[in-house]
Amino acid sequence: EFVLTQSPATLSLSPGDRATLSCRASQSISSYLAWYQQKPGQAPRLLIYDASKRATDIPARFSGSGSGTDFTLTISNVEPEDFAVYYCHQRNNWYSFGQGTKLEIK
Amino acid sequence: EVQLVESGGDLVQPGGSLRLSCAASGFTFSAHWMHWVRQVPGKGLFWVARINLDGTTTNYADSVKGRFTISRDNARDTLYLQMNNLRGEDTALYYCVRESGWFDPWGQGTLVTVSS
């Protein structure tokens, strides 16, 4: 069974900090990975696709890296509006999502 | 503006049926594969089904196969999800999603609650 595992489950940071979120695939998915942001009461929003490409209107402080089985979403300078839940998503082996990382205010 | 608006969610008894709709606007609906993704409130995301451009190819998650049917009406720019034999574990917020390589954008969702 294909699994995407995100870590940590919760990340507590202060505005201005650097956030590093991880997503690990149980088998290689090349670069077929995306990251979404979800705020309370809202639908998910595409941030990063093809592992490292920023979606339209996404600020440059968001960046993605990785290929194969290990991927990272980095927020270089966390802004107050960035506190949310982040999901990784793969489309190499049908479709599946990680369980999410909650970025919370410290 | 690209917009997806779901409707049809409701409280239904186990074993019951429900049809969800998703009205698309602001883009050429017939040029995109479409998906349904669900989310139990407070939990993660789960892919449910997809449909190709003209509706001739459909695929489902194993847990809904044989019970759910995805369809589309390109003349009405509308996506559907017919859900039969509903179970408690189908309780979730159901999102309609456009595929442009990836899932973007998402509708706001419609809530399905399966309970007696």
Side-chain angles (χ1 to χ4, degrees):
Chain A
E1 181 189 353
F2 184 89
V3 178
L4 281 177
T5 302
Q6 291 186 241
S7 60
T10 303
L11 185 58
S12 300
L13 296 173
S14 301
D17 287 347
R18 180 184 185 89
T20 303
L21 288 68
S22 174
C23 178
R24 176 164 290 177
S26 58
Q27 58 188 262
S28 177
I29 56 172
S30 185
S31 296
Y32 293 113
L33 188 104
W35 291 92
Y36 299 85
Q37 177 193 66
Q38 187 176 35
K39 296 181 179 180
Q42 296 185 16
R45 176 176 72 144
L46 179 67
L47 295 177
I48 300 289
Y49 65 96
D50 292 348
S52 62
K53 299 174 182 176
R54 268 190 307 277
T56 304
D57 295 330
I58 300 303
R61 64 180 181 273
F62 290 92
S63 63
S65 63
S67 66
T69 61
D70 290 295
F71 301 86
T72 301
L73 173 69
T74 301
I75 311 173
S76 59
N77 189 346
V78 175
E79 297 281 347
E81 62 266 28
D82 299 337
F83 291 97
V85 179
Y86 293 84
Y87 293 97
C88 58
H89 167 219
Q90 67 82 25
R91 64 179 181 92
N92 184 69
N93 184 336
W94 286 101
Y95 307 92
S96 56
F97 298 86
Q99 78 279 22
T101 290
K102 181 180 181 180
L103 177 59
E104 65 175 24
I105 300 175
K106 188 174 183 179
Chain B
E1 178 193 3
V2 174
Q3 201 167 11
L4 298 168
V5 179
E6 303 93 336
S7 60
D10 204 348
L11 170 63
V12 61
Q13 292 189 339
S17 297
L18 210 55
R19 187 175 86 154
L20 307 182
S21 299
C22 169
S25 60
F27 66 100
T28 304
F29 180 70
S30 59
H32 292 268
W33 287 60
M34 297 295 295
H35 299 249
W36 289 97
V37 176
R38 71 187 183 189
Q39 183 174 36
V40 175
K43 302 295 184 183
L45 300 164
F46 180 79
W47 174 78
V48 174
R50 73 174 183 181
I51 189 166
N52 72 338
L53 303 184
D54 62 3
T56 55
T57 298
T58 57
N59 301 99
Y60 302 90
D62 286 344
S63 58
V64 307
K65 203 173 295 183
R67 300 187 299 121
F68 289 14
T69 302
I70 187 173
S71 62
R72 66 192 298 162
D73 184 339
N74 286 343
R76 298 178 187 273
D77 292 345
T78 302
L79 178 73
Y80 302 101
L81 186 67
Q82 176 67 43
M83 304 186 294
N84 298 330
N85 193 18
L86 283 160
R87 306 167 180 167
E89 55 264 36
D90 296 320
T91 294
L93 188 63
Y94 283 73
Y95 293 104
C96 164
V97 187
R98 183 184 75 170
E99 181 186 324
S100 300
W102 293 96
F103 290 2
D104 180 49
W106 300 52
Q108 284 304 302
T110 187
L111 183 62
V112 173
T113 303
V114 183
S115 175
S116 54

